[in-house]
Amino acid sequence: MKPEFREKLAQLPFEEKIRKVGELIRLSQNVKTQRTADRSASYPQPGLGNAQSLKGTKAMEIFMPERKREREL
Amino acid sequence: MADEPSGIPLADVLRAANELVSAGLIKDYALGGALAAIYYTEPFTTYDADIIFVASDKTLSAGIPAIYSHLQSKGWRVEREHLLIKDFPVQFIAASGLTEEAVRDARGIEYEGVPAKVFRPEYIIAIAASVGRPKDLARIEQLLEQAKIDKPMLDDILRRYNLKLPTK
């Protein structure tokens, strides 16, 4: 992750950053709900194994996923 | 959680903390912990808010029963060490020593029109250095990278509290 993008996020107004944290929490809860549903359905989901939790996830990874894709290419 | 647009009812939390000051239940307070760090850094996931307060009642309980009772009367719920507002957990922590100094020297802000105080980054770093969990060390690194740090002020705090920054 490029430091300049992270710094750009750090410069956002506090209200906007708190809104993004709220979105991160919602996404994290969705991942957990999905995992619980998958477990109770007993269907193995190979792709979800790495998704365990978004705790500590930085907004850059969520809100600028295209950067991650660019890096992977 | 949340009928507020952000999903985190931080304005309600700060409003409640201001009410506690007005009611004389606490002398002063500031936002600490991860949300204080986010004031200076990129956003990251956290699941609670920490309100660090200077107690009016200097007994062992620091007036916490009265604070809980006041907030419960306003519709807050208690769940283990947290008070919940709109399902969002908030911890009220009595300040002492370094954290008390951090509250007294905190930066005045306005959040969605609500006046509040937030720890200065130099104090967030010093407190993280004193706690020293992996997430605290990550917070120090992030603040040193992304926040404007008053280096002489940080050095002075670290020296007075006999703290050291982790070496990479």
Coordinates of all heavy atoms in Angstrom, one line a residue, chain A residues 24-25 27-36 38-39 45-57, chain B residues 47:
Chain A
L24 N -16.3 -0.1 7.8 CA -15.4 -1.3 8.1 C -16.1 -2.3 9.1 O -16.0 -3.5 8.9 CB -14.1 -0.8 8.6 CG -13.1 -0.1 7.6 CD1 -12.0 0.5 8.4 CD2 -12.6 -1.1 6.7
I25 N -16.7 -1.7 10.1 CA -17.4 -2.6 11.1 C -18.5 -3.3 10.5 O -18.7 -4.6 10.7 CB -17.9 -1.7 12.3 CG1 -16.7 -1.1 13.1 CG2 -18.8 -2.6 13.2 CD1 -17.2 -0.1 14.1
L27 N -18.8 -4.2 7.3 CA -18.3 -5.2 6.4 C -17.8 -6.4 7.2 O -18.0 -7.5 6.9 CB -17.1 -4.6 5.6 CG -17.5 -3.7 4.5 CD1 -16.3 -2.9 4.0 CD2 -18.1 -4.5 3.3
S28 N -17.1 -6.1 8.3 CA -16.6 -7.2 9.2 C -17.8 -8.0 9.7 O -17.6 -9.3 9.7 CB -15.9 -6.5 10.4 OG -15.6 -7.4 11.4
Q29 N -18.9 -7.4 10.1 CA -20.0 -8.1 10.6 C -20.6 -9.0 9.5 O -21.0 -10.1 9.7 CB -21.1 -7.2 11.2 CG -20.6 -6.7 12.6 CD -21.4 -5.5 13.1 OE1 -22.1 -4.8 12.3 NE2 -21.3 -5.2 14.3
N30 N -20.6 -8.4 8.3 CA -21.2 -9.2 7.1 C -20.3 -10.5 6.9 O -20.8 -11.5 6.6 CB -21.2 -8.4 5.9 CG -22.3 -7.3 5.9 OD1 -23.1 -7.4 6.8 ND2 -22.2 -6.3 5.1
V31 N -19.0 -10.3 7.0 CA -18.1 -11.5 6.8 C -18.4 -12.5 7.8 O -18.5 -13.7 7.5 CB -16.6 -11.0 6.8 CG1 -15.7 -12.2 6.9 CG2 -16.3 -10.2 5.6
K32 N -18.5 -12.1 9.1 CA -18.8 -13.0 10.2 C -20.1 -13.7 10.0 O -20.2 -14.9 10.2 CB -18.8 -12.3 11.5 CG -17.4 -12.1 12.1 CD -17.4 -11.4 13.4 CE -16.0 -10.9 13.8 NZ -16.1 -9.8 14.7
T33 N -21.1 -13.0 9.6 CA -22.5 -13.6 9.4 C -22.4 -14.6 8.3 O -22.9 -15.7 8.4 CB -23.5 -12.4 9.0 OG1 -23.4 -11.4 9.9 CG2 -24.9 -13.0 8.9
Q34 N -21.7 -14.2 7.2 CA -21.5 -15.1 6.1 C -20.8 -16.4 6.5 O -21.2 -17.5 6.1 CB -20.7 -14.4 5.0 CG -20.4 -15.3 3.7 CD -21.7 -15.5 2.9 OE1 -22.5 -14.7 2.8 NE2 -21.8 -16.8 2.5
R35 N -19.8 -16.3 7.3 CA -19.0 -17.5 7.8 C -19.9 -18.4 8.6 O -19.9 -19.6 8.5 CB -17.8 -17.1 8.6 CG -16.7 -16.4 7.7 CD -15.5 -16.0 8.5 NE -14.8 -17.2 9.0 CZ -14.3 -17.3 10.2 NH1 -14.5 -16.4 11.1 NH2 -13.7 -18.4 10.6
T36 N -20.7 -17.7 9.5 CA -21.6 -18.5 10.4 C -22.6 -19.3 9.5 O -22.9 -20.4 9.7 CB -22.3 -17.6 11.3 OG1 -21.4 -16.8 12.0 CG2 -23.1 -18.3 12.4
D38 N -22.3 -20.2 6.4 CA -21.6 -21.2 5.7 C -21.4 -22.4 6.6 O -21.5 -23.6 6.1 CB -20.3 -20.7 5.1 CG -20.5 -19.7 4.0 OD1 -21.6 -19.7 3.4 OD2 -19.5 -18.9 3.8
R39 N -21.0 -22.2 7.8 CA -20.7 -23.3 8.7 C -22.0 -24.1 9.0 O -22.0 -25.3 9.0 CB -20.2 -22.7 10.1 CG -18.7 -22.9 10.1 CD -18.2 -22.7 11.6 NE -17.0 -21.9 11.6 CZ -16.9 -20.7 12.2 NH1 -18.0 -20.2 12.9 NH2 -15.9 -20.0 12.1
Q45 N -16.2 -23.7 2.2 CA -16.0 -22.5 1.4 C -14.5 -22.1 1.4 O -14.0 -21.4 2.2 CB -16.7 -21.3 2.0 CG -18.2 -21.4 2.0 CD -18.9 -21.2 0.7 OE1 -18.6 -20.2 0.0 NE2 -19.7 -22.2 0.2
P46 N -13.8 -22.7 0.4 CA -12.3 -22.5 0.4 C -11.9 -21.1 0.5 O -10.9 -20.7 1.1 CB -11.8 -23.2 -0.9 CG -13.0 -23.9 -1.4 CD -14.3 -23.4 -0.7
G47 N -12.6 -20.2 -0.3 CA -12.2 -18.8 -0.4 C -12.3 -18.0 0.9 O -11.7 -17.0 1.1
L48 N -13.2 -18.5 1.8 CA -13.4 -17.7 3.0 C -12.4 -18.0 4.1 O -12.4 -17.3 5.1 CB -14.8 -18.0 3.5 CG -16.0 -17.3 2.8 CD1 -17.3 -17.8 3.3 CD2 -15.9 -15.8 3.0
G49 N -11.6 -19.0 3.9 CA -10.7 -19.3 5.0 C -9.8 -18.2 5.4 O -9.4 -18.0 6.6
N50 N -9.4 -17.3 4.5 CA -8.5 -16.2 4.8 C -9.2 -15.0 5.3 O -8.6 -14.0 5.7 CB -7.7 -15.9 3.6 CG -6.8 -17.0 3.2 OD1 -6.4 -17.8 4.0 ND2 -6.5 -17.2 1.9
A51 N -10.6 -15.0 5.2 CA -11.3 -13.8 5.4 C -11.6 -13.6 6.9 O -12.2 -12.6 7.2 CB -12.6 -13.9 4.7
Q52 N -11.1 -14.5 7.7 CA -11.5 -14.6 9.1 C -12.1 -13.3 9.8 O -13.1 -13.4 10.3 CB -10.3 -15.0 10.0 CG -9.9 -16.5 9.6 CD -8.7 -16.9 10.4 OE1 -8.2 -16.2 11.2 NE2 -8.4 -18.2 10.2
S53 N -11.4 -12.2 9.7 CA -11.9 -11.0 10.3 C -11.3 -9.8 9.6 O -10.3 -9.9 9.1 CB -11.5 -11.1 11.8 OG -11.7 -9.8 12.3
L54 N -12.1 -8.7 9.8 CA -11.5 -7.5 9.2 C -10.9 -6.6 10.3 O -10.6 -5.5 10.0 CB -12.6 -6.7 8.4 CG -13.1 -7.4 7.2 CD1 -14.1 -6.5 6.5 CD2 -11.9 -7.6 6.2
K55 N -10.8 -7.1 11.5 CA -10.3 -6.3 12.6 C -8.9 -5.9 12.2 O -8.1 -6.7 11.8 CB -10.3 -7.1 13.9 CG -9.9 -6.3 15.1 CD -10.1 -7.1 16.4 CE -9.5 -6.3 17.5 NZ -10.4 -5.6 18.3
G56 N -8.7 -4.6 12.4 CA -7.4 -4.1 12.1 C -7.2 -3.7 10.6 O -6.2 -3.2 10.2
T57 N -8.2 -4.0 9.8 CA -8.2 -3.7 8.4 C -8.1 -2.2 8.2 O -8.8 -1.5 8.9 CB -9.4 -4.3 7.7 OG1 -9.5 -5.6 7.9 CG2 -9.4 -4.0 6.2
Chain B
Y47 N -13.8 -1.4 17.7 CA -15.1 -1.8 18.0 C -15.6 -1.1 19.3 O -16.7 -1.4 19.8 CB -15.2 -3.3 18.2 CG -15.0 -4.0 16.9 CD1 -13.8 -4.6 16.6 CD2 -16.0 -4.1 16.0 CE1 -13.6 -5.2 15.3 CE2 -15.9 -4.7 14.8 CZ -14.6 -5.3 14.5 OH -14.5 -5.9 13.2

